[in-house]
Amino acid sequence: MALNIKKIKNLERIKNFSQIIFISILLSSCSTLIKKEYPLINSEENINENNNSEKKRIEIKFSCGKDGISKYLDDGWVILKEDSQEKICTWISIPATKDCDMEKDKGCKITKPDKIGEEKIYLLEK
């Protein structure tokens, strides 16, 4: 009987540890990202325009209330596409059970979303 209780506690600890790993991966993605620039390759436009200027496109993401799109617009970038989606901004740790002491037993801590915000994704062209 005691062996089964130990197995159950070990399984709960493994489950909690995997949740912590998953949440840390999600947390690391909640920041402003600027993806690589890439040239616009469209043969029809190049034939019709007959100019040698190369257009550049970038995709920018702003999360959790941060929005720095104005500096790009002031620099001459034009918004081609704008999209938004929900994003978890902050997390909170709570005890898994009522008698759990999170300071002594780290395995009984559960992390859950605290504040949910919005992530804006812009496709810009210059």
Side-chain angles (χ1 to χ4, degrees):
M1 190 81 159
L3 184 61
N4 287 338
I5 293 172
K6 285 183 181 181
K7 284 184 181 180
I8 291 172
K9 285 186 178 185
N10 284 339
L11 289 175
E12 288 177 354
R13 285 185 180 156
I14 291 171
K15 179 182 172 187
N16 287 339
F17 181 74
S18 63
Q19 287 176 342
I20 290 170
I21 297 293
F22 176 73
I23 289 170
S24 64
I25 291 170
L26 289 177
L27 280 176
S28 65
S29 68
C30 191
S31 63
T32 303
L33 300 174
I34 300 177
K35 290 199 174 176
K36 63 181 180 182
E37 292 187 16
Y38 52 92
L40 173 64
I41 300 173
N42 189 338
S43 59
E44 291 176 18
E45 285 184 11
N46 290 340
I47 293 170
N48 292 336
E49 291 180 5
N50 287 333
N51 64 8
N52 292 332
S53 66
E54 185 177 283
K55 293 186 178 184
K56 295 181 180 179
R57 286 186 178 180
I58 59 172
E59 184 179 83
I60 303 173
K61 296 180 181 184
F62 296 101
S63 300
C64 304
K66 298 176 186 172
D67 196 354
I69 192 68
S70 60
K71 73 177 183 177
Y72 291 94
L73 297 177
D74 293 343
D75 194 32
W77 291 90
V78 178
I79 299 174
L80 294 179
K81 183 179 173 185
E82 181 178 345
D83 195 17
S84 64
Q85 61 189 22
E86 273 191 358
K87 184 84 169 189
I88 299 170
C89 296
T90 59
W91 297 84
I92 188 169
S93 295
I94 60 169
T97 61
K98 291 180 183 178
D99 57 342
C100 168
D101 185 359
M102 293 191 318
E103 295 300 319
K104 292 182 181 176
D105 186 9
K106 301 291 183 191
C108 73
K109 180 173 26 175
I110 296 177
T111 307
K112 69 174 192 171
D114 183 31
K115 293 182 183 175
I116 297 177
E118 185 178 47
E119 177 182 58
K120 292 185 179 181
I121 304 164
Y122 297 99
L123 179 61
L124 304 177
E125 181 180 75
K126 187 174 186 182

